[in-house]
Amino acid sequence: MTEKLNTGSHDLPISDALAAFMNTGWADTHRDDLAPLPQAAYTAKRRAALAARFPGERLVIPSGTLKVRSNDDDYRFRAHSAFAHLTGAQEPDQVLVVEPSGEARLFLRPRSPRGAQGTAGQEFYRDRRYGEFWVGRRPDLTEAEALYQIDCAPIDHLDGALGGPARVLRGVDASVDARIAPHDGDGELESVLSEMRLVKDEWEIAELQFAVDATTRGFEDVVRALPTALNHRRGERYLEGVFGLRSRLEGNAVGYQSIVASGANACVLHWIRNDGRLNGNELLLLDAGVETDHLYTADITRTLPLSGRFDPVQRQVYELVYEAQEAAIATLRPGASFRDFHRTAMRVIAEGLHDWGVLKISADEAMEPGNDLYRRYTLCSSGHMLGMDVHDCARARAEVYLDGVLEEGQVLTVEPGLYLQPDDLTLPPELRGIGVRIEDDLVITAGGARLMSSGLPRHPDEVEGWMEGLASWGQGGG
């Protein structure tokens, strides 16, 4: 329980009579009918695997804390992915402790008590951060054990469980960091927690497929909304809201800040201002993903002609990116180097730029180390692991991720792009200000890879036909 209530300067005072009245007359709302979370059997296996990786050691993994957006307004809480992966829980200030014996316990904030003396008895109706009347009910200890299938204890008992050295996932909860002396192996724990998510189990792949399918529906929503958005002074933001609605209806939220970039804004890799007007003669780059209620996200990009048809120059750029993506996808299989698909895509890009006369050296020369001039026009990598984080497994060691090989069950994106800056004098004028990215989500299978996002077209002819079927196209606003 919190000793100091989180109240606001404008909250009304509580009289003794009201405090006494608020502590009586409440029904027992404990629930005995809660089924385990669907991932509970999998989280137990993950905890066992983690304990086996560090036998005889105590491991501490916090969920994270609430973060202030402004003054007394917090951001909506999102648990740390490593914690959620091991527990399925999503409340702030929780801490998972794996004991040297391998047994695990989840320390959490119990429900606000009704009828307790002092500030503890007022939390449920006075505390803006944790009070049930302010932010909603949380599970009691017995309910939490039923949901998460793990032994649970009050967070107040955490100190008693932290005797002796422990590895801690640091930088997640400052109060936990302060309780436990740094361990030389803290960094290794962080890496292992990332590496445990490199290969997805069947439940995770199904979650990611749901995220992809919901994202597909969100992209369809956006295309249907284009006629209205074209006439709005902030058309990009209008479309951001359209996709955001789908993400909240079918999932927890967007998995990352949506990129809705029209015209030259598409040349900004992470354009999230989304405050531009749409021009019916330009392209729209939409990079967005729905995050499921269990925190798995899709990550898909499509570049769409706002007129409904690519003009010749737009098609020229789009087709080169499409060819690069096709070549990259063809390399995906168990045992292939993770970097192979990027190198393959970049060779196609370099050959195309050379054919256009933009790249003055041959593709063979451009692919040599230290001679990668083609990157002026594409710059970033062509894909990454995908899962609970949009850039999943980011703390994994290079030898098992970036310099490793692909394995069955891994989920990744393939997303080559061309970003032809509007002020780039090395480009002919007609190419300047065109940005194209095509991004899809794939799962590595025994025989290659399955395109999870096949519900969205990629070939330019198919894109045009798809858009025509979803919206009525007239003359877009400029």
Side-chain angles (χ1 to χ4, degrees):
M1 316 301 173
T2 182
E3 295 182 0
K4 182 179 179 181
L5 296 175
N6 296 282
T7 57
S9 60
H10 55 287
D11 288 351
L12 297 173
I14 302 295
S15 66
D16 291 343
L18 178 58
F21 185 51
M22 291 296 290
N23 276 355
T24 62
W26 302 106
D28 181 5
T29 59
H30 171 77
R31 294 184 61 183
D32 292 315
D33 60 343
L34 294 176
L37 293 179
Q39 69 268 46
Y42 296 93
T43 56
K45 293 177 182 177
R46 297 167 195 162
R47 293 192 297 271
L50 179 64
R53 180 64 179 77
F54 299 101
E57 298 193 52
R58 179 173 289 109
L59 312 172
V60 181
I61 299 98
S63 68
T65 61
L66 294 168
K67 294 179 174 59
V68 174
R69 179 182 181 275
S70 176
N71 189 29
D72 57 358
D73 178 34
D74 292 324
Y75 288 102
R76 185 182 292 115
F77 180 71
R78 203 280 193 182
H80 192 284
S81 294
F83 173 86
H85 185 249
L86 293 167
T87 66
Q90 296 187 40
E91 293 286 341
D93 308 311
Q94 297 182 336
V95 181
L96 172 68
V97 177
V98 179
E99 297 292 350
S101 64
E103 296 180 359
R105 178 171 293 175
L106 179 60
F107 292 85
L108 51 82
R109 182 183 294 272
R111 287 188 64 197
S112 308
R114 312 285 175 94
Q117 297 300 311
T119 57
Q122 298 180 8
E123 182 187 86
F124 75 96
Y125 67 93
R126 290 193 65 193
D127 194 295
R128 289 172 167 267
R129 278 193 143 185
Y130 300 108
E132 290 186 8
F133 283 15
W134 290 91
V135 297
R137 186 186 189 280
R138 56 183 178 265
D140 63 32
L141 291 178
T142 305
E143 292 169 343
E145 289 180 340
L147 287 169
Y148 310 132
Q149 296 291 287
I150 185 174
D151 184 35
C152 294
I155 192 66
D156 288 351
H157 295 185
L158 178 62
D159 286 340
L162 296 180
R167 297 183 191 242
V168 179
L169 179 62
R170 295 195 177 270
V172 180
D173 186 328
S175 69
V176 173
D177 289 351
R179 284 178 162 108
I180 307 170
H183 188 295
D184 290 342
D186 287 340
E188 184 184 11
L189 173 62
E190 184 179 34
S191 293
V192 168
L193 289 170
S194 263
E195 291 163 13
M196 287 179 65
R197 305 204 307 273
L198 280 168
V199 175
K200 272 61 177 179
D201 58 44
E202 64 270 22
W203 185 84
E204 292 180 290
I205 292 172
E207 274 292 294
L208 285 164
Q209 187 64 64
F210 179 85
V212 167
D213 293 344
T215 300
T216 296
R217 291 186 282 274
F219 275 55
E220 292 170 348
D221 295 339
V222 166
V223 172
R224 292 188 185 99
L226 284 177
T228 300
L230 280 160
N231 293 305
H232 199 284
R233 69 180 182 87
R234 282 188 165 183
E236 291 178 348
R237 197 158 292 183
Y238 185 94
L239 297 177
E240 178 187 3
V242 169
F243 186 84
L245 175 60
R246 176 64 66 176
S247 72
R248 288 292 283 166
L249 284 174
E250 296 210 40
N252 177 57
V254 290
Y256 53 96
Q257 295 297 311
S258 298
I259 298 168
V260 188
S262 62
N265 293 342
C267 299
V268 180
L269 294 174
H270 287 170
W271 174 263
I272 59 171
R273 297 179 196 171
N274 300 341
D275 59 358
R277 192 177 184 113
L278 307 183
N279 183 323
N281 297 318
E282 295 179 331
L283 299 175
L284 173 75
L285 188 153
L286 175 63
D287 183 337
V290 172
E291 179 184 75
T292 70
D293 289 334
H294 301 299
L295 308 184
Y296 289 79
T297 186
D299 181 8
I300 299 174
T301 306
R302 288 295 182 268
T303 305
L304 311 173
L306 286 169
S307 67
R309 292 286 185 273
F310 293 98
D311 70 28
V313 175
Q314 292 168 350
R315 180 175 280 265
Q316 172 189 343
V317 177
Y318 187 97
E319 286 182 342
L320 178 54
V321 176
Y322 173 77
E323 290 165 4
Q325 192 197 35
E326 282 280 273
I329 289 173
T331 71
L332 300 178
R333 65 185 187 282
S337 167
F338 174 80
R339 296 187 188 271
D340 279 354
F341 74 90
H342 171 68
R343 286 190 285 256
T344 299
M346 292 303 97
R347 173 168 285 279
V348 174
I349 292 290
E351 289 172 349
L353 291 172
H354 180 69
D355 291 344
W356 294 352
V358 170
L359 187 64
K360 305 305 181 184
I361 61 176
S362 70
D364 286 340
E365 292 175 288
M367 298 304 293
E368 293 176 359
N371 209 23
D372 51 353
L373 303 184
Y374 64 89
R375 289 189 59 198
R376 179 184 179 106
Y377 311 103
T378 186
L379 198 60
C380 63
S381 180
S382 299
H384 51 80
M385 292 295 177
L386 183 66
M388 300 187 86
D389 291 330
V390 64
H391 299 132
D392 210 26
C393 314
R395 301 302 181 186
R397 292 166 296 171
E399 58 264 32
V400 296
Y401 178 7
L402 297 177
D403 296 327
V405 298
L406 298 176
E407 297 181 48
E408 184 177 356
Q410 290 181 336
V411 178
L412 70 161
T413 70
V414 177
E415 50 174 309
L418 278 170
Y419 312 99
L420 309 178
Q421 301 297 333
D423 58 347
D424 190 341
L425 299 180
T426 70
L427 294 168
E430 66 272 15
L431 289 177
R432 296 175 197 166
I434 296 178
V436 173
R437 180 164 62 249
I438 310 171
E439 179 179 18
D440 283 273
D441 303 340
L442 300 101
V443 56
I444 303 300
T445 63
R450 176 171 64 85
L451 186 62
M452 303 176 76
S453 47
S454 61
L456 287 172
R458 294 183 299 122
H459 189 277
D461 292 342
E462 295 172 349
V463 169
E464 291 175 346
W466 173 70
M467 293 180 70
E468 185 176 10
L470 288 172
S472 299
W473 291 97
Q475 296 298 315

